[in-house]
Amino acid sequence: MNARRCFVASRVQVLESESDYASLIAKPKVKSVVYFTAPWSGPCSLIAPIFSELSNAFPNLNFAQLDVHELDDTAAEAGVRDMPTFHFYANGQLQEPLELGGIDINQLKENIQKLADM
């Protein structure tokens, strides 16, 4: 018997420019989670599918990812130093950055739930 993996469509928007990022975080009455990632980061590779699943579990939030190699100036301006880093925005304001040098899925879920409950 062959095991098959099923992949659910992700709601994660890939930010491809500084203007994509600026536009997303500045939207009034919108809540967004931005995931700063790097292709070389092991923890980023492990948490990426979980982030995709969470995007489907919280349909009232925007989920986006930003590759720090592609948009290094944007990541630097956002103060990103560690991978993975998550920023939570509500009404155009940064709520709490979450830098996970490792993988703490429970902490990520708690912060996403907190943003959804605001």
Side-chain angles (χ1 to χ4, degrees):
M1 179 178 228
N2 290 337
R4 292 185 182 173
R5 294 185 68 179
C6 296
F7 294 97
V8 177
S10 172
R11 294 182 48 252
V12 178
Q13 172 189 359
V14 176
L15 301 175
E16 297 180 352
S17 69
E18 165 66 33
S19 63
D20 285 350
Y21 174 72
S23 174
L24 177 73
I25 66 171
K27 291 181 180 176
K29 299 181 183 179
V30 173
K31 299 174 188 174
S32 302
V33 183
V34 179
Y35 166 39
F36 294 87
T37 183
W40 50 261
S41 169
C44 288
S45 297
L46 293 173
I47 208 160
I50 295 162
F51 188 69
S52 291
E53 288 175 14
L54 290 168
S55 75
N56 293 317
F58 292 89
N60 295 331
L61 300 177
N62 288 323
F63 284 75
Q65 77 178 38
L66 185 146
D67 183 324
V68 299
H69 284 272
E70 297 293 323
L71 299 173
D72 55 344
D73 289 341
T74 305
E77 288 177 28
V80 174
R81 292 179 299 246
D82 294 319
M83 297 303 123
T85 293
F86 299 88
H87 283 187
F88 304 87
Y89 293 92
N91 301 315
Q93 299 295 316
L94 178 63
Q95 301 303 303
E96 278 186 51
L98 173 61
E99 294 183 2
L100 299 176
I103 298 173
D104 189 337
I105 296 164
N106 290 329
Q107 186 178 10
L108 176 60
K109 287 179 183 177
E110 287 172 17
N111 282 321
I112 290 173
Q113 185 64 60
K114 189 161 103 175
L115 181 65
D117 292 343
M118 289 179 74

